[in-house]
Amino acid sequence: MEYERRPRRSFGPRRFPPKPVEIGKEYDVEIQETSRRGEGIARIKGLVCFIPNTKPGDKVKIRIARISRRFAEGEVVGKGEAKAEGEAEGEEEVEEEAETEEETEAEEEGEAE
């Protein structure tokens, strides 16, 4: 009895998307949770960052020390500014919406006269 050999399926090498952070760069973040080891957890564009000596609610400036496949590790370099990275994007959208509402109201008043 003779068996046929089936070709092996290969899906190619696993590729990981490029990371949104770089080693040595500084980012303003807000600590969202605490890890099992007691480190603060922040997310930068979806990438989890572990920052020691922080607690939830802290707004700090961090420097990325190490990048792994699934996470990054950072160190605190100072207090963060009023806007953390995630908050800055959301506030800009709200301001744009307010401006468009004002323009619409002005146009409606012009048509009513």
Side-chain angles (χ1 to χ4, degrees):
M1 196 186 258
E2 205 171 306
Y3 294 100
E4 290 183 32
R5 266 197 160 164
R6 284 195 253 173
R8 291 184 179 226
R9 290 186 192 186
S10 110
F11 298 105
R14 281 196 137 176
R15 296 179 193 232
F16 293 94
K19 304 296 182 261
V21 296
E22 295 179 27
I23 293 178
K25 277 200 167 182
E26 295 182 357
Y27 300 90
D28 286 329
V29 296
E30 181 175 356
I31 307 302
Q32 299 170 347
E33 324 173 36
T34 304
S35 72
R36 293 179 184 174
R37 297 188 304 183
E39 300 172 325
I41 297 175
R43 287 183 174 77
I44 300 174
K45 295 183 183 174
L47 181 69
V48 174
C49 299
F50 294 100
I51 301 103
N53 305 322
T54 58
K55 59 185 187 290
D58 289 351
K59 292 180 179 158
V60 293
K61 181 172 254 185
I62 63 167
R63 180 179 299 124
I64 301 298
R66 180 173 170 250
I67 300 175
S68 180
R69 287 183 176 177
R70 296 183 171 188
F71 63 90
E73 294 178 4
E75 54 194 26
V76 177
V77 293
K79 288 197 171 194
E81 296 176 11
K83 293 183 183 178
E85 186 171 307
E87 293 175 1
E89 295 171 8
E91 289 178 7
E92 290 173 1
E93 292 173 3
V94 171
E95 291 174 4
E96 289 175 12
E97 289 176 4
E99 289 175 9
T100 55
E101 287 177 12
E102 291 172 1
E103 291 171 4
T104 307
E105 290 174 7
E107 288 174 6
E108 289 175 359
E109 288 176 13
E111 291 174 6
E113 293 176 4

PDB file of all heavy atoms in Angstrom, residues 91-107:
ATOM      1  N   GLU A  91     -10.709  65.816  22.590  1.00  0.00           N
ATOM      2  CA  GLU A  91     -11.079  67.207  22.813  1.00  0.00           C
ATOM      3  C   GLU A  91     -11.076  67.995  21.518  1.00  0.00           C
ATOM      4  O   GLU A  91     -11.894  68.871  21.321  1.00  0.00           O
ATOM      5  CB  GLU A  91     -10.131  67.843  23.836  1.00  0.00           C
ATOM      6  CG  GLU A  91     -10.361  67.325  25.238  1.00  0.00           C
ATOM      7  CD  GLU A  91      -9.390  67.932  26.226  1.00  0.00           C
ATOM      8  OE1 GLU A  91      -8.628  68.837  25.853  1.00  0.00           O
ATOM      9  OE2 GLU A  91      -9.391  67.478  27.379  1.00  0.00           O
ATOM     10  N   GLU A  92     -10.167  67.681  20.614  1.00  0.00           N
ATOM     11  CA  GLU A  92     -10.130  68.378  19.331  1.00  0.00           C
ATOM     12  C   GLU A  92     -11.409  68.121  18.550  1.00  0.00           C
ATOM     13  O   GLU A  92     -11.958  69.019  17.921  1.00  0.00           O
ATOM     14  CB  GLU A  92      -8.923  67.928  18.509  1.00  0.00           C
ATOM     15  CG  GLU A  92      -7.601  68.400  19.071  1.00  0.00           C
ATOM     16  CD  GLU A  92      -6.415  67.803  18.345  1.00  0.00           C
ATOM     17  OE1 GLU A  92      -6.613  67.037  17.385  1.00  0.00           O
ATOM     18  OE2 GLU A  92      -5.294  68.102  18.746  1.00  0.00           O
ATOM     19  N   GLU A  93     -11.902  66.886  18.603  1.00  0.00           N
ATOM     20  CA  GLU A  93     -13.134  66.545  17.883  1.00  0.00           C
ATOM     21  C   GLU A  93     -14.316  67.322  18.460  1.00  0.00           C
ATOM     22  O   GLU A  93     -15.158  67.808  17.723  1.00  0.00           O
ATOM     23  CB  GLU A  93     -13.396  65.044  17.976  1.00  0.00           C
ATOM     24  CG  GLU A  93     -12.388  64.217  17.212  1.00  0.00           C
ATOM     25  CD  GLU A  93     -12.560  62.725  17.448  1.00  0.00           C
ATOM     26  OE1 GLU A  93     -13.504  62.328  18.155  1.00  0.00           O
ATOM     27  OE2 GLU A  93     -11.747  61.967  16.919  1.00  0.00           O
ATOM     28  N   VAL A  94     -14.376  67.457  19.773  1.00  0.00           N
ATOM     29  CA  VAL A  94     -15.469  68.186  20.412  1.00  0.00           C
ATOM     30  C   VAL A  94     -15.428  69.648  19.996  1.00  0.00           C
ATOM     31  O   VAL A  94     -16.459  70.250  19.695  1.00  0.00           O
ATOM     32  CB  VAL A  94     -15.386  68.051  21.955  1.00  0.00           C
ATOM     33  CG1 VAL A  94     -16.381  68.966  22.630  1.00  0.00           C
ATOM     34  CG2 VAL A  94     -15.621  66.613  22.359  1.00  0.00           C
ATOM     35  N   GLU A  95     -14.231  70.250  19.954  1.00  0.00           N
ATOM     36  CA  GLU A  95     -14.106  71.644  19.543  1.00  0.00           C
ATOM     37  C   GLU A  95     -14.557  71.843  18.102  1.00  0.00           C
ATOM     38  O   GLU A  95     -15.233  72.811  17.784  1.00  0.00           O
ATOM     39  CB  GLU A  95     -12.655  72.113  19.695  1.00  0.00           C
ATOM     40  CG  GLU A  95     -12.213  72.233  21.131  1.00  0.00           C
ATOM     41  CD  GLU A  95     -10.730  72.550  21.264  1.00  0.00           C
ATOM     42  OE1 GLU A  95     -10.050  72.745  20.236  1.00  0.00           O
ATOM     43  OE2 GLU A  95     -10.264  72.595  22.405  1.00  0.00           O
ATOM     44  N   GLU A  96     -14.205  70.888  17.222  1.00  0.00           N
ATOM     45  CA  GLU A  96     -14.608  70.981  15.817  1.00  0.00           C
ATOM     46  C   GLU A  96     -16.126  70.920  15.699  1.00  0.00           C
ATOM     47  O   GLU A  96     -16.724  71.658  14.924  1.00  0.00           O
ATOM     48  CB  GLU A  96     -13.967  69.861  15.005  1.00  0.00           C
ATOM     49  CG  GLU A  96     -12.480  70.046  14.806  1.00  0.00           C
ATOM     50  CD  GLU A  96     -11.845  68.865  14.106  1.00  0.00           C
ATOM     51  OE1 GLU A  96     -12.587  68.013  13.579  1.00  0.00           O
ATOM     52  OE2 GLU A  96     -10.606  68.798  14.087  1.00  0.00           O
ATOM     53  N   GLU A  97     -16.759  70.033  16.466  1.00  0.00           N
ATOM     54  CA  GLU A  97     -18.221  69.914  16.422  1.00  0.00           C
ATOM     55  C   GLU A  97     -18.880  71.217  16.889  1.00  0.00           C
ATOM     56  O   GLU A  97     -19.854  71.669  16.309  1.00  0.00           O
ATOM     57  CB  GLU A  97     -18.688  68.756  17.301  1.00  0.00           C
ATOM     58  CG  GLU A  97     -18.345  67.399  16.741  1.00  0.00           C
ATOM     59  CD  GLU A  97     -18.732  66.275  17.677  1.00  0.00           C
ATOM     60  OE1 GLU A  97     -19.335  66.543  18.724  1.00  0.00           O
ATOM     61  OE2 GLU A  97     -18.423  65.134  17.350  1.00  0.00           O
ATOM     62  N   ALA A  98     -18.327  71.844  17.932  1.00  0.00           N
ATOM     63  CA  ALA A  98     -18.889  73.093  18.444  1.00  0.00           C
ATOM     64  C   ALA A  98     -18.790  74.190  17.383  1.00  0.00           C
ATOM     65  O   ALA A  98     -19.726  74.970  17.195  1.00  0.00           O
ATOM     66  CB  ALA A  98     -18.161  73.514  19.714  1.00  0.00           C
ATOM     67  N   GLU A  99     -17.666  74.248  16.669  1.00  0.00           N
ATOM     68  CA  GLU A  99     -17.495  75.255  15.619  1.00  0.00           C
ATOM     69  C   GLU A  99     -18.507  75.059  14.498  1.00  0.00           C
ATOM     70  O   GLU A  99     -19.086  76.013  14.008  1.00  0.00           O
ATOM     71  CB  GLU A  99     -16.066  75.189  15.065  1.00  0.00           C
ATOM     72  CG  GLU A  99     -15.020  75.700  16.029  1.00  0.00           C
ATOM     73  CD  GLU A  99     -13.614  75.519  15.493  1.00  0.00           C
ATOM     74  OE1 GLU A  99     -13.456  75.154  14.316  1.00  0.00           O
ATOM     75  OE2 GLU A  99     -12.669  75.747  16.250  1.00  0.00           O
ATOM     76  N   THR A 100     -18.723  73.809  14.085  1.00  0.00           N
ATOM     77  CA  THR A 100     -19.677  73.549  13.001  1.00  0.00           C
ATOM     78  C   THR A 100     -21.095  73.879  13.434  1.00  0.00           C
ATOM     79  O   THR A 100     -21.894  74.358  12.635  1.00  0.00           O
ATOM     80  CB  THR A 100     -19.600  72.098  12.510  1.00  0.00           C
ATOM     81  OG1 THR A 100     -19.784  71.224  13.619  1.00  0.00           O
ATOM     82  CG2 THR A 100     -18.274  71.812  11.833  1.00  0.00           C
ATOM     83  N   GLU A 101     -21.431  73.647  14.706  1.00  0.00           N
ATOM     84  CA  GLU A 101     -22.766  73.991  15.206  1.00  0.00           C
ATOM     85  C   GLU A 101     -22.967  75.504  15.172  1.00  0.00           C
ATOM     86  O   GLU A 101     -24.025  75.994  14.792  1.00  0.00           O
ATOM     87  CB  GLU A 101     -22.957  73.475  16.641  1.00  0.00           C
ATOM     88  CG  GLU A 101     -23.137  71.978  16.723  1.00  0.00           C
ATOM     89  CD  GLU A 101     -23.252  71.487  18.152  1.00  0.00           C
ATOM     90  OE1 GLU A 101     -23.426  72.327  19.073  1.00  0.00           O
ATOM     91  OE2 GLU A 101     -23.170  70.279  18.348  1.00  0.00           O
ATOM     92  N   GLU A 102     -21.933  76.271  15.557  1.00  0.00           N
ATOM     93  CA  GLU A 102     -22.027  77.736  15.526  1.00  0.00           C
ATOM     94  C   GLU A 102     -22.207  78.236  14.093  1.00  0.00           C
ATOM     95  O   GLU A 102     -23.009  79.132  13.837  1.00  0.00           O
ATOM     96  CB  GLU A 102     -20.767  78.356  16.139  1.00  0.00           C
ATOM     97  CG  GLU A 102     -20.655  78.135  17.629  1.00  0.00           C
ATOM     98  CD  GLU A 102     -19.311  78.598  18.184  1.00  0.00           C
ATOM     99  OE1 GLU A 102     -18.475  79.099  17.422  1.00  0.00           O
ATOM    100  OE2 GLU A 102     -19.116  78.437  19.392  1.00  0.00           O
ATOM    101  N   GLU A 103     -21.485  77.634  13.148  1.00  0.00           N
ATOM    102  CA  GLU A 103     -21.615  78.037  11.752  1.00  0.00           C
ATOM    103  C   GLU A 103     -23.026  77.757  11.241  1.00  0.00           C
ATOM    104  O   GLU A 103     -23.613  78.571  10.530  1.00  0.00           O
ATOM    105  CB  GLU A 103     -20.583  77.298  10.901  1.00  0.00           C
ATOM    106  CG  GLU A 103     -19.155  77.730  11.163  1.00  0.00           C
ATOM    107  CD  GLU A 103     -18.142  76.842  10.466  1.00  0.00           C
ATOM    108  OE1 GLU A 103     -18.556  75.931   9.716  1.00  0.00           O
ATOM    109  OE2 GLU A 103     -16.942  77.065  10.658  1.00  0.00           O
ATOM    110  N   THR A 104     -23.580  76.601  11.609  1.00  0.00           N
ATOM    111  CA  THR A 104     -24.921  76.226  11.170  1.00  0.00           C
ATOM    112  C   THR A 104     -25.950  77.207  11.728  1.00  0.00           C
ATOM    113  O   THR A 104     -26.851  77.646  11.002  1.00  0.00           O
ATOM    114  CB  THR A 104     -25.266  74.786  11.643  1.00  0.00           C
ATOM    115  OG1 THR A 104     -24.224  73.909  11.217  1.00  0.00           O
ATOM    116  CG2 THR A 104     -26.590  74.330  11.091  1.00  0.00           C
ATOM    117  N   GLU A 105     -25.817  77.558  13.009  1.00  0.00           N
ATOM    118  CA  GLU A 105     -26.747  78.519  13.613  1.00  0.00           C
ATOM    119  C   GLU A 105     -26.657  79.875  12.928  1.00  0.00           C
ATOM    120  O   GLU A 105     -27.666  80.519  12.675  1.00  0.00           O
ATOM    121  CB  GLU A 105     -26.444  78.667  15.111  1.00  0.00           C
ATOM    122  CG  GLU A 105     -26.810  77.436  15.919  1.00  0.00           C
ATOM    123  CD  GLU A 105     -26.369  77.565  17.370  1.00  0.00           C
ATOM    124  OE1 GLU A 105     -25.904  78.653  17.785  1.00  0.00           O
ATOM    125  OE2 GLU A 105     -26.488  76.561  18.100  1.00  0.00           O
ATOM    126  N   ALA A 106     -25.459  80.318  12.595  1.00  0.00           N
ATOM    127  CA  ALA A 106     -25.269  81.602  11.920  1.00  0.00           C
ATOM    128  C   ALA A 106     -25.925  81.592  10.544  1.00  0.00           C
ATOM    129  O   ALA A 106     -26.560  82.559  10.128  1.00  0.00           O
ATOM    130  CB  ALA A 106     -23.792  81.935  11.805  1.00  0.00           C
ATOM    131  N   GLU A 107     -25.795  80.476   9.829  1.00  0.00           N
ATOM    132  CA  GLU A 107     -26.403  80.349   8.501  1.00  0.00           C
ATOM    133  C   GLU A 107     -27.927  80.390   8.617  1.00  0.00           C
ATOM    134  O   GLU A 107     -28.597  81.018   7.788  1.00  0.00           O
ATOM    135  CB  GLU A 107     -25.953  79.055   7.833  1.00  0.00           C
ATOM    136  CG  GLU A 107     -24.505  79.071   7.389  1.00  0.00           C
ATOM    137  CD  GLU A 107     -24.057  77.727   6.861  1.00  0.00           C
ATOM    138  OE1 GLU A 107     -24.901  76.815   6.732  1.00  0.00           O
ATOM    139  OE2 GLU A 107     -22.858  77.593   6.568  1.00  0.00           O
TER     140      GLU A 107
END
